[in-house]
Amino acid sequence: MSNYIDEAKNYIENENFADALKLARKRHGKDDIKSYLTILDMLIDAEFLPAIEEKGLYYQYYDPSHDNGDYGEKYFDRYLEKQPHSINALCDKAMSKFNKGQIDEALSYIDKAHEKYKSYSKIEKPRISKREVSMSRIELLIQSKRYDDALKDLTRYENNFGSDQKSDLYFGQMLQKNGENREAIDYLDKSLGEEATLLAFNSRGDAYYELKEYENALKDYEKCLNYESQIENDLDLKTNFNYKSAFCCVKLGKKDEAIKFLNKTINMLNEYGRLPKDLEAIYQKCSFEKERLLKTGVVEDKEFKKTRFLSTKTALIVLAVILILYVVLKLMGYG
């Protein structure tokens, strides 16, 4: 048994649980995961409640397999059995559900946390502010595509806490999705005034696009391209600003640029094999538009032209030379 385990055992025997937990966290900071988890288990055996949440948080955020995809949920359940009014544990459990893709269940736990804020347990002070719980609920509503509900919550959020960069961004996004594009731009301008973000540029670009202000839309989509390398798993987002850049260029008469964006979108979607219906529709739209532009004869597909093809006459000459060489080699005894 390591010196750290002995030290932790001493703390626990003397009911100095907080120092034992501090020691466990120090071992975690030193990547001594074995000692960290051993000390947590000792504290859990001693029924020290914060150690249960601590172990859940380890599997939530740090364990590579997240405890085989459990994301610490069983520890948060144990915590809630003992302390059902814990706002921290309710939010932790909501995050576990979110990570498992169970958005509606995550939302129900955030709702419980929001409700319990009125009379939270005095045993623990919430680590998460009421403002943060309210914002988490808005984000989950957006994830579940309940945009009207998200707008209602955003109005309540502004009334209770005032506006901030995040609420302005989400307000702008929701208004844009509801077709209130001019109002959306006002909120997105405010959000971008506080912080330049890909989501805000993309949503403002969409608002300008719907308003047929293609020059402004293209400027925002071009700003999105600066962030493209940072996007890993959001094909919908990448497709949106690339294919709409193409159609902005079409509307603005920038046909060479349009072909470039159309090719990029088509190639990008080709890499993903079978596509969902909405992305398949975009793929077809881009393919048809590319074909239409090429048929006008005023634009060339420079990417396609990099591949050289032989003319019919040249091809026949090459074929004849190959046949002559074949006959000569046969006469010389080869083959």
Side-chain angles (χ1 to χ4, degrees):
M1 189 178 290
S2 75
N3 291 336
Y4 304 110
I5 304 300
D6 287 336
E7 188 178 350
K9 192 175 180 183
N10 249 346
Y11 283 137
I12 292 166
E13 284 174 354
N14 289 296
E15 298 188 2
N16 195 349
F17 303 125
D19 281 342
L21 182 57
K22 283 180 188 175
L23 178 60
R25 287 171 175 164
K26 284 180 183 176
R27 298 320 305 155
H28 187 198
K30 298 289 185 182
D31 288 330
D32 181 5
I33 303 303
K34 186 176 179 181
S35 296
Y36 170 66
L37 293 176
T38 301
I39 297 169
L40 288 184
D41 285 338
M42 291 163 60
L43 284 165
I44 291 169
D45 288 342
E47 298 189 357
F48 183 58
L49 202 55
I52 298 174
E53 188 193 17
E54 179 78 21
K55 194 165 184 183
L57 292 172
Y58 169 73
Y59 288 118
Q60 177 86 269
Y61 297 106
Y62 301 105
D63 177 54
S65 76
H66 302 288
D67 197 16
N68 295 316
D70 185 62
Y71 289 92
E73 186 174 0
K74 62 175 172 278
Y75 294 100
F76 305 137
D77 283 339
R78 285 177 66 179
Y79 194 105
L80 286 166
E81 281 174 17
K82 296 177 180 291
Q83 196 57 251
H85 295 277
S86 168
I87 291 165
N88 293 339
L90 287 166
C91 290
D92 294 333
K93 177 144 176 137
M95 182 59 74
S96 295
K97 291 294 187 185
F98 174 77
N99 285 324
K100 292 177 182 181
Q102 299 167 3
I103 306 298
D104 288 340
E105 291 89 338
L107 191 53
S108 72
Y109 281 97
I110 283 292
D111 284 344
K112 287 177 186 175
H114 200 270
E115 179 190 335
K116 300 297 180 192
Y117 228 104
K118 297 170 188 172
S119 56
Y120 63 80
S121 167
K122 303 304 178 189
I123 293 175
E124 61 161 41
K125 184 177 180 181
R127 185 176 61 249
I128 303 155
S129 70
K130 190 173 183 180
R131 182 181 191 132
E132 289 170 318
V133 173
S134 297
M135 181 53 71
S136 295
R137 187 175 197 276
I138 291 164
E139 290 172 335
L140 286 169
L141 287 169
I142 293 170
Q143 285 285 332
S144 60
K145 299 185 177 179
R146 290 168 56 183
Y147 302 134
D148 288 338
D149 289 335
L151 269 173
K152 289 174 188 173
D153 268 40
L154 280 161
T155 301
R156 278 194 291 269
Y157 181 93
E158 276 199 347
N159 290 338
N160 290 330
F161 308 110
S163 66
D164 52 47
Q165 183 270 329
K166 229 179 208 184
S167 67
D168 288 336
L169 168 62
Y170 293 145
F171 236 127
Q173 284 185 309
M174 297 304 96
L175 289 168
Q176 196 283 314
K177 287 183 182 298
N178 275 5
E180 300 173 60
N181 292 295
R182 194 61 69 190
E183 295 84 349
I185 289 168
D186 291 338
Y187 275 98
L188 293 165
D189 283 346
K190 284 170 63 182
S191 177
L192 285 164
E194 295 180 55
E195 184 183 353
T197 62
L198 168 62
L199 291 177
F201 282 127
N202 181 71
S203 292
R204 193 173 70 177
D206 285 350
Y208 281 127
Y209 188 89
E210 293 301 322
L211 291 165
K212 301 187 181 346
E213 297 180 20
Y214 299 114
E215 194 75 58
N216 287 332
L218 186 58
K219 285 177 185 175
D220 275 344
Y221 292 141
E222 285 173 344
K223 289 188 176 93
C224 292
L225 295 169
N226 296 328
Y227 298 86
E228 191 167 12
S229 61
Q230 300 171 22
I231 309 169
E232 293 182 4
N233 300 316
D234 199 334
L235 182 60
D236 287 323
L237 179 59
K238 282 198 288 188
T239 300
N240 184 72
F241 59 74
N242 275 291
Y243 103 85
K244 284 181 180 169
S245 291
F247 284 91
C248 284
C249 290
V250 171
K251 295 293 185 182
L252 295 168
K254 301 178 180 180
K255 293 185 172 60
D256 286 325
E257 285 291 298
I259 287 288
K260 182 185 79 173
F261 282 116
L262 289 168
N263 277 333
K264 183 180 174 187
T265 306
I266 290 165
N267 292 337
M268 181 170 64
L269 292 176
N270 267 333
E271 292 176 11
Y272 284 83
R274 189 174 181 82
L275 295 166
K277 282 184 180 178
D278 55 341
L279 290 181
E280 180 63 34
I282 291 170
Y283 178 87
Q284 295 296 338
K285 184 177 180 179
C286 289
S287 299
F288 290 143
E289 185 61 21
K290 177 182 169 181
E291 187 177 351
R292 187 191 72 78
L293 286 174
L294 292 176
K295 280 181 178 177
T296 64
V298 298
V299 64
E300 294 180 342
D301 186 351
K302 292 177 182 177
E303 182 179 326
F304 182 73
K305 284 186 69 178
K306 288 176 186 175
T307 305
R308 299 292 181 185
F309 294 93
L310 299 176
S311 67
T312 304
K313 182 179 177 182
T314 306
L316 289 171
I317 293 169
V318 171
L319 181 59
V321 170
I322 291 170
L323 287 171
I324 291 166
L325 284 171
Y326 175 73
V327 172
V328 170
L329 288 170
K330 286 285 275 185
L331 291 172
M332 294 176 65
Y334 293 97

